[in-house]
Amino acid sequence: MNIVILGVPGAGKGTQAKMLSERLKIPHISTGDIFRNAIKEGTELGKTAADHIEQGKLVPDDVTFGIVKGRIGEKDCKNGFLLDGFPRTMIQAEMLDSLLGETGRKVDIALNIDVPDAEVIDRISGRLVCPSCGANYHKKSNPPLEGGICRECSARVLQRKDDFYETVVKRIETYHLQTKPLISHYSDKGVIVTVNGTGDITGIHDRIMSEVRGHTR
Ligand code: AP5
């Protein structure tokens, strides 16, 4: 099954994608994670990505598509994949449709995780991440140990550079302008599934699973 996950920054795409990927046994591909790893490694891709990400802008379509094309061409994606954060523009959606079409495949489900802007601003401007093991915290609702120490691996947690308030607002604006129109694109194809993304994480996962099952029956 080929699934794409849509949603405003902070909607819980990454959180839910990890759970869904384990449950459905298909690889979780996050373009945001790919870019963050490239930034950490200091590659050319990382330099290009950082210039855009830190300003709350999207990485150019051709760069992003090239990465996704390579990744979904790998063996482990033969029986399906879960794309988290791609596509994010109409051009990316069209490029993906046409790439999948070449091998008789398509997007089976476009999962839209729906969360109000006010809630995601609180979620991501309070987010802290462990640069070593990737564990996620929140300043108020799920703090790390005293002094900003990761509970999993004892590294010092950090705020993502694109999680500062002004950048978060810009990312949300970018989402409404460039990504939200994809809901209509996938709705026209009859594959959109919208799930309420507020409330507890397990409850949201259960709602998603029930929609996925219903959609594949
Ligand atoms: P990316 O990493 O994809 O960022 P994003 O879409 O802005 O999403 P986030 O990672 O902030 O949030 P999420 O929806 O995954 O939520 P999460 O589960 O982490 O992309 C980063 C940047 O890369 C982009 O801005 C862009 O520049 C570039 N990029 C990526 N893809 C691109 C593309 N296709 N084209 C061009 N550029 C691209 O949860 C957020 C927080 O909320 C966490 O702390 C989590 O613990 C918490 N949380 C989750 N669920 C709940 C809940 N139910 N209740 C309370 N808290 C919750």
Side-chain angles (χ1 to χ4, degrees):
M1 191 185 310
N2 305 322
I3 302 179
V4 299
I5 306 194
L6 309 173
V8 69
K13 299 183 294 297
T15 305
Q16 295 298 331
K18 274 189 202 94
M19 298 166 84
L20 206 51
S21 152
E22 278 167 25
R23 196 80 179 260
L24 300 176
K25 303 200 177 354
I26 50 176
H28 166 206
I29 303 163
S30 156
T31 39
D33 285 348
I34 293 171
F35 291 140
R36 278 185 290 279
N37 284 335
I39 293 171
K40 209 161 136 188
E41 286 163 11
T43 62
E44 276 311 306
L45 169 67
K47 285 177 200 148
T48 308
D51 284 345
H52 294 83
I53 291 176
E54 286 166 20
Q55 293 179 56
K57 293 182 187 163
L58 295 180
V59 177
D61 288 332
D62 54 338
V63 175
T64 311
F65 179 68
I67 286 159
V68 170
K69 184 178 176 184
R71 181 63 188 88
I72 64 178
E74 288 178 27
K75 222 168 154 186
D76 63 337
C77 293
K78 222 176 75 197
N79 296 321
F81 52 78
L82 216 161
L83 278 172
D84 158 14
F86 184 94
R88 257 175 151 105
T89 65
M90 197 57 85
I91 292 175
Q92 291 180 10
E94 283 163 359
M95 290 199 279
L96 180 64
D97 290 343
S98 122
L99 175 70
L100 294 175
E102 284 170 18
T103 49
R105 295 183 292 170
K106 64 179 180 61
V107 169
D108 299 304
I109 295 179
L111 175 64
N112 173 36
I113 305 182
D114 188 29
V115 179
D117 290 357
E119 177 158 344
V120 296
I121 289 176
D122 178 61
R123 281 188 195 178
I124 53 182
S125 54
R127 168 167 54 191
L128 296 167
V129 288
C130 174
S132 176
C133 72
N136 245 292
Y137 298 94
H138 188 277
K139 286 175 191 168
K140 284 184 275 177
S141 59
N142 177 27
L145 296 175
E146 182 94 25
I149 300 300
C150 176
R151 276 187 254 125
E152 307 292 325
C153 74
S154 302
R156 188 172 296 276
V157 302
L158 300 169
Q159 184 165 30
R160 252 167 65 172
K161 279 194 181 159
D162 61 340
D163 277 353
F164 293 110
Y165 180 79
E166 293 72 20
T167 317
V168 171
V169 171
K170 176 76 191 150
R171 283 162 62 197
I172 292 175
E173 208 179 281
T174 304
Y175 164 80
H176 283 286
L177 273 173
Q178 295 186 261
T179 310
K180 206 172 175 188
L182 300 188
I183 297 175
S184 307
H185 173 80
Y186 288 116
S187 176
D188 292 347
K189 292 181 179 293
V191 296
I192 196 84
V193 167
T194 295
V195 170
N196 175 358
T198 61
D200 74 282
I201 290 172
T202 322
I204 299 165
H205 173 68
D206 291 344
R207 290 201 280 278
I208 292 175
M209 278 310 296
S210 131
E211 289 287 348
V212 168
R213 283 196 204 100
H215 207 81
T216 50
R217 242 176 239 141

